[in-house]
Amino acid sequence: MIVRIPSLLILSSLLFAVMVVTAFAAMSSVERQGTSPIVNGSLRYGLLGKNNGTSVSDRVIRKHTLGGVAPTQSPGTVIGATWYDCQHLGSMGRMIGWSRHGSPDTMIVHFSWMSMPGPVFFARQYRYDSWNAVTGSFGVETGLQSEDDYAGFVGLDVTEDGRAVIGGHNREWSDGFTDCHFYWDSGPGLSDFTAQAQVPREVAEYGGYPNQEVIWPKFRYQEGPGDTVLHVFALEAGVSAGDPQALYYFRKVGMDATGTWDNPPYVVDTMYTPGYDIAANNDGKVALVWTANLPCPGDPCDTCS
């Protein structure tokens, strides 16, 4: 099977490419213009599209080659590593972003992830690195807290001046509770996350539930025409995975780590799975999206609005 599997994969890919090309050739010129981008991409970059003048075997090898040097199992560059591959629950959020700054114009790609260096489950932290498109080099990979703060489920946003904002949840403030925690880099790609802010305990415990933990945040840092706002969408940590859990919207007004949190926060809905996300633009608009529960038969819909 070690020999046969690659052969079967290559043969299947070739068969698919031939089918696509045959179907495309049978279309009229109008139909070709309306072909989906996926099909157009497969025609342009597939095994039988483009790359004229080389054999099929050469194209297969080139498709699985990093820099034309040698075939690799997974082409690309390793950004970071972790033993814990469940980076998020229910929805992915955003973990990569980019920015432009300076003169000449420099593009920086920002990366964030939840790192666990070994099999010890609680030894987790936020990690960050960046890549400079002008110099072609990476920045300084850094962990944003110690490895024993139960940190993780990391997301990223980028400020207007090109600095990364990293958020997730952890126990860094030594109060024994897991809370949403956010860090701001001091400059584009500097890996200096000294500025930090946490959803306050009194806000997280809104509703009369002492010791409540609201975690797994998705967030956006919005620099609008009036206020600068950190928008946070997070879920109450239920006793067990099947429990109904309150979905919270937290809001901090102020630059970077400064400012005040709205109190009380807004309880959006009650749900059974952490499937939600958030988006915002610099016109002051924000969108909250989540997987609402279907009502029981005969009950009024309490989430349709």
Side-chain angles (χ1 to χ4, degrees):
M1 291 302 295
I2 296 177
V3 176
R4 293 174 185 170
I5 288 176
S7 301
L8 289 174
L9 289 175
I10 294 170
L11 192 58
S12 299
S13 299
L14 289 172
L15 181 59
F16 171 76
V18 171
M19 291 171 64
V20 171
V21 171
T22 303
F24 189 75
M27 295 179 182
S28 67
S29 58
V30 175
E31 288 173 326
R32 290 172 188 165
Q33 292 174 7
T35 305
S36 74
I38 296 176
V39 175
N40 284 333
S42 68
L43 290 172
R44 182 173 183 183
Y45 299 108
L47 299 178
L48 297 183
K50 215 158 185 176
N51 293 334
N52 294 324
T54 59
S55 67
V56 171
S57 60
D58 288 341
R59 295 171 203 156
V60 173
I61 293 174
R62 288 177 61 184
K63 188 173 185 293
H64 296 280
T65 299
L66 173 61
V69 180
T72 60
Q73 188 174 12
S74 179
T77 300
V78 174
I79 306 299
T82 179
W83 275 61
Y84 195 23
D85 61 355
C86 180
Q87 291 287 301
H88 288 278
L89 301 175
S91 57
M92 194 66 187
R94 179 183 180 188
M95 300 172 67
I96 300 174
W98 62 274
S99 61
R100 293 185 179 276
H101 75 284
S103 181
D105 192 25
T106 300
M107 187 182 83
I108 293 181
V109 184
H110 307 268
F111 306 94
S112 66
W113 68 97
M114 172 172 55
S115 172
M116 193 169 80
V120 180
F121 182 72
F122 293 96
R124 304 186 331 222
Q125 64 176 180
Y126 307 179
R127 290 197 76 81
Y128 168 81
D129 204 351
S130 62
W131 182 77
N132 189 308
V134 172
T135 63
S137 60
F138 283 90
V140 178
E141 180 182 334
T142 185
L144 277 63
Q145 62 278 112
S146 64
E147 292 180 352
D148 57 354
D149 287 325
Y150 199 58
F153 299 93
V154 180
L156 176 145
D157 205 352
V158 183
T159 65
E160 287 291 292
D161 58 356
R163 297 175 295 118
V165 186
I166 310 296
H169 67 236
N170 66 9
R171 293 177 181 168
E172 183 171 2
W173 286 9
S174 303
D175 55 10
F177 300 109
T178 304
D179 291 301
C180 300
H181 205 140
F182 306 90
Y183 299 78
W184 285 258
D185 203 347
S186 62
L190 294 185
S191 299
D192 176 27
F193 292 91
T194 53
Q196 54 184 291
Q198 186 182 43
V199 174
R201 278 275 84 216
E202 63 271 18
V203 180
E205 293 175 347
Y206 170 72
Y209 302 103
N211 305 333
Q212 175 174 265
E213 296 176 321
V214 184
I215 57 178
W216 302 306
K218 302 294 186 293
F219 73 96
R220 287 294 181 270
Y221 183 69
Q222 181 184 56
E223 298 166 277
D227 295 324
T228 297
V229 181
L230 175 65
H231 302 277
V232 181
F233 212 19
L235 192 66
E236 170 200 0
V239 176
S240 63
D243 291 341
Q245 300 161 80
L247 183 59
Y248 280 71
Y249 167 58
F250 302 113
R251 183 176 181 270
K252 182 185 75 65
V253 180
M255 290 288 293
D256 292 0
T258 64
T260 57
W261 293 87
D262 287 355
N263 194 8
Y266 186 75
V267 181
V268 176
D269 201 352
T270 301
M271 61 192 306
Y272 291 84
T273 179
Y276 50 90
D277 208 345
I278 186 170
N281 64 18
N282 287 342
D283 293 331
K285 298 176 182 178
V286 60
L288 308 176
V289 183
W290 70 98
T291 305
N293 303 307
L294 291 175
C296 295
D299 288 347
C301 180
D302 61 349
T303 58
C304 291
S305 60

